[in-house]
Amino acid sequence: MSRNYYMAGNWKMHMTRNDAAQLAQDLVNQLRDGTHKYLVAPSFTLLETVSAVIEGSNIRLGAQNCASEEQGAHTGEVSVLQLKDLGVQTIILGHSERRHVYKEDDALINKKVKLALKHGFEVILCIGELLEEREAGKVEEVCERQTVKGLEGVDVSLLNNVVIAYEPVWAIGTGKTATPQDAEAVHAFVRKVIARLYGDDIASKIIIQYGGSVKADNAAQLMAMENIDGALVGGASLKTDSFIPIAKFQA
């Protein structure tokens, strides 16, 4: 089964509008002839600016989170309706920083996943273990739980709008990367979990990205693995000269 590589940049809490517009324009220019699927996910305050720059290009607009309610008295939150209004197509949910820094649990993430899918968004559902969980031999247990709970109640008809991103927490922003073999083992396991939940056909089609200190010099080796279908890139996505070689890697 051939799956198209999906290369995404999560800009996290960085940049002002001028910086974001410049980076977005550089990416539009340099990825125009790219053969993979592309996405950038700026901060909420940058979405309108970046949306205007990438409109009509081959780069999708992503948001880094959304509220679990459609609208109402939720001070400081951003709703799916507001994101749709800005042209957002994809929402990243369950990122390890949301789980571990902001204490979002599986139930809350699942509520957000279902709300985003209901409103027609593509969802990138992030999963991954802490270092202590890996050392305790709980990698599969943690990744299975986060996958199963994250997708609980999601109908098979919506799975074409779901992407999984495996991000071992100990490799995010640390410079440490899971070896291609380590990452492949988890990706293959998660694909088996999807097969159990939704069947082999869906499992063979679902995109599973890897995230965690992806760089130009390891992207091709990671992407060469059978079950790794792209990358969710953090720090290296903030500069054109570090993101472009990742985004345009040759398989």
Side-chain angles (χ1 to χ4, degrees):
M1 174 72 209
S2 64
R3 295 177 294 269
N4 192 21
Y5 289 105
Y6 192 174
M7 313 305 282
N10 172 12
W11 294 358
K12 305 196 181 183
M13 195 174 72
H14 293 286
M15 287 186 282
T16 58
R17 286 176 297 166
N18 280 346
D19 299 333
Q22 183 62 60
L23 176 56
Q25 189 60 61
D26 288 346
L27 295 179
V28 167
N29 295 342
Q30 296 197 44
L31 292 177
R32 188 171 282 133
D33 60 347
T35 54
H36 311 314
K37 181 176 175 180
Y38 303 111
L39 172 137
V40 292
S43 298
F44 293 131
T45 58
L46 307 175
L47 286 169
E48 189 164 15
T49 298
V50 173
S51 179
V53 175
I54 66 176
E55 188 177 0
S57 77
N58 59 342
I59 302 173
R60 294 176 69 86
L61 184 65
Q64 299 172 18
N65 192 21
C66 69
S68 59
E69 302 293 338
E70 256 176 38
Q71 56 190 348
H74 301 284
T75 302
E77 291 291 320
V78 177
S79 89
V80 288
L81 303 177
Q82 293 167 328
L83 295 177
K84 186 176 280 187
D85 187 44
L86 289 172
V88 170
Q89 299 158 286
T90 302
I91 305 177
I92 299 170
L93 295 170
H95 190 279
S96 66
E97 289 151 16
R98 301 306 314 174
R99 292 180 189 271
H100 300 295
V101 180
Y102 297 99
K103 308 304 179 193
E104 294 192 7
D105 62 13
D106 287 318
L108 179 65
I109 292 161
N110 175 243
K111 194 174 181 187
K112 292 182 179 191
V113 167
K114 288 189 286 194
L115 182 63
L117 289 171
K118 175 187 162 189
H119 283 275
F121 290 95
E122 175 184 70
V123 166
I124 298 177
L125 173 63
C126 301
I127 63 169
E129 80 282 358
L130 297 164
L131 182 59
E132 52 263 39
E133 291 168 334
R134 173 166 277 269
E135 289 174 343
K138 293 182 174 175
V139 178
E140 292 189 352
E141 181 188 323
V142 170
C143 290
E144 179 170 16
R145 187 197 78 235
Q146 291 176 347
T147 302
V148 171
K149 298 274 192 190
L151 295 175
E152 198 164 17
V154 172
D155 188 77
V156 66
S157 64
L158 297 171
L159 261 284
N160 61 340
N161 268 338
V162 174
V163 173
I164 306 288
Y166 168 59
E167 297 199 306
V169 182
W170 49 272
I172 298 172
T174 61
K176 296 180 182 172
T177 315
T179 67
Q181 293 73 22
D182 281 344
E184 166 65 14
V186 179
H187 281 239
F189 171 75
V190 172
R191 207 174 292 284
K192 282 184 189 150
V193 172
I194 297 292
R196 196 184 76 228
L197 295 174
Y198 294 103
D200 291 337
D201 184 51
I202 296 289
S204 73
K205 290 175 181 166
I206 196 164
I207 300 295
I208 308 177
Q209 297 172 319
Y210 172 76
S213 298
V214 178
K215 301 182 185 70
D217 60 8
N218 63 22
Q221 292 93 328
L222 286 161
M223 299 308 121
M225 296 290 130
E226 183 185 349
N227 288 290
I228 300 180
D229 308 317
L232 182 56
V233 184
S237 71
L238 297 172
K239 290 195 168 71
T240 314
D241 59 3
S242 53
F243 186 57
I244 292 294
I246 298 171
K248 294 183 84 166
F249 85 94
Q250 295 299 309

